[in-house]
């Protein structure tokens, strides 16, 4: 190995790698595969090679392969990651990769989870634009410098990969908790001046499943592959809901 | 947790941070300066500042603790729903009764 290839993330060609892959559903076991790690191979490349070369029954999910679609997230050596943008050499520990499906979601098979509960919570958090009755009457003039626009911009690049949801302790304790992604999406809409559904949205993100249950552990912010800050979005929702509650009392 | 409970818990946490500090500092001063129980009661009897401070302390604790305990029980046990809320109201009432009873006992001693 040269000095150059010993850098993290830059793999020497043809290194041996042991890949432990979760097989089964909620009950199952790890199956080990041996591969020759190629230079700059991503974790998704590793899974694809195993499926194509060694075991065609291995199930996993991917689409774009370039960090846009949010389909390929898995737990890699204990940490949820987007596997298409994660180099295997950078995260292998002692030449071992352990791959598991995302946590906090039902396992369909092997590395594929059912994302339906994740997206159902987006709906419950009113994570969709509400145009109101007279939406098309005029254009909204929104300056890029407006504080609300800046808040929305900070969270709007979420790709729905489920990494934050998998990392969230509160979801693991309270399966009803809406989770960081849905709350982050709700916060971007709270800051959208065109949206007409704010009261219903703020009601939806309050309560025992909502933003006030967040412990601010910041796992979502730590693991988000897009380096968003759902913790800060949730803090914004706490301020917005409390402000509204105080105005109602006043 | 609704916004009002959230705000109540954070607000009482601020009061408790102040009250616990005063309480501990006073305890340390009283025990290290050689005051007897009798000396302390002389200072606390009919002392409205003492009673007001501990009444505020007790009320803040009686609001803060049950809200937090409710969250812990919801997250770590399967106990949810109305029965949990009623139990926490009962716990809060117990804290108020026991706390104010103790404060008044010292105030009137």
């Amino acid at each position: 190995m040269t000095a150059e290839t010993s850098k993290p993330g830059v793999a020497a060609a043809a290194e041996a790698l042991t890949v432990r892959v979760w097989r089964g559903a909620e009950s199952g076991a790890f199956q080990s595969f041996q591969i020759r790690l190629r230079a700059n191979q991503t974790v998704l490349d590793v899974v694809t090679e195993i499926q194509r070369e060694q075991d065609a029954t291995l199930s996993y999910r991917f689409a774009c392969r370039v960090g846009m679609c949010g389909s390929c997230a898995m737990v890699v050596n204990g940490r949820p990651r987007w596997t298409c943008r994660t180099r295997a050499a950078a995260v292998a520990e002692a030449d071992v990769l352990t791959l598991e499906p995302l946590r906090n979601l039902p396992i369909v098979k092997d590395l594929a989870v059912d994302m339906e509960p994740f997206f159902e919570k987006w709906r419950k958090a009113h994570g969709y634009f509400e145009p109101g009755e007279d939406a098309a009457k005029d254009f909204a003039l929104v300056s890029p410098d407006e504080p609300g626009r800046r808040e929305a911009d900070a969270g709007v690049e979420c790709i729905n990969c489920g990494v934050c949801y998998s990392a969230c302790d509160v979801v693991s304790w309270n399966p009803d908790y809406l989770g960081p992604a849905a709350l982050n999406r709700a916060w971007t809409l709270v800051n959208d001046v065109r949206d007409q559904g704010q009261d219903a949205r703020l009601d939806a993100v309050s309560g025992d499943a909502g933003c006030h249950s967040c412990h601010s552990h910041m796992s979502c912010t730590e693991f988000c592959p897009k380096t968003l800050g759902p913790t800060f979005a949730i803090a914004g929702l706490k301020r917005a809901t409390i402000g509204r509650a105080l105005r109602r009392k006043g | 947790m609704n916004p009002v409970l959230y705000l109540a818990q954070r607000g009482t946490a601020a009061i408790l941070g102040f009250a616990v500090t005063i309480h501990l500092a006073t305890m340390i001063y009283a025990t290290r300066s050689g005051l007897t129980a009798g000396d302390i009661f002389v200072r606390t009897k009919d002392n409205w500042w003492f009673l007001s401070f501990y009444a505020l302390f007790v009320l803040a604790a009686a609001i803060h603790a049950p809200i937090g305990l409710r969250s812990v029980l919801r997250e770590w046990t399967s106990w949810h729903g109305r029965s949990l809320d009623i139990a926490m109201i009962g716990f809060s009432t117990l804290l108020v009764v026991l706390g104010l009873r103790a404060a008044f006992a010292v105030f009137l001693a």
Side-chain angles (χ1 to χ4, degrees), chain A residues 173 206-208 212 215 238 242 246, chain B residues 1 3-4 6-7 70 74-76:
Chain A
W173 298 328
S206 300
D208 289 313
H212 305 100
H215 287 235
K238 289 175 181 174
I242 288 168
L246 290 176
Chain B
M1 187 188 303
V4 175
Y6 179 84
L7 190 60
R70 176 180 178 275
R74 281 184 58 86
E75 288 176 358
W76 289 86

Side-chain angles (χ1 to χ4, degrees), chain A residues 57-70:
Chain A
T57 67
L58 176 61
S59 298
Y60 65 111
R61 183 183 288 124
F62 74 97
C64 75
R65 300 180 296 167
V66 290
M68 292 177 65
C69 73

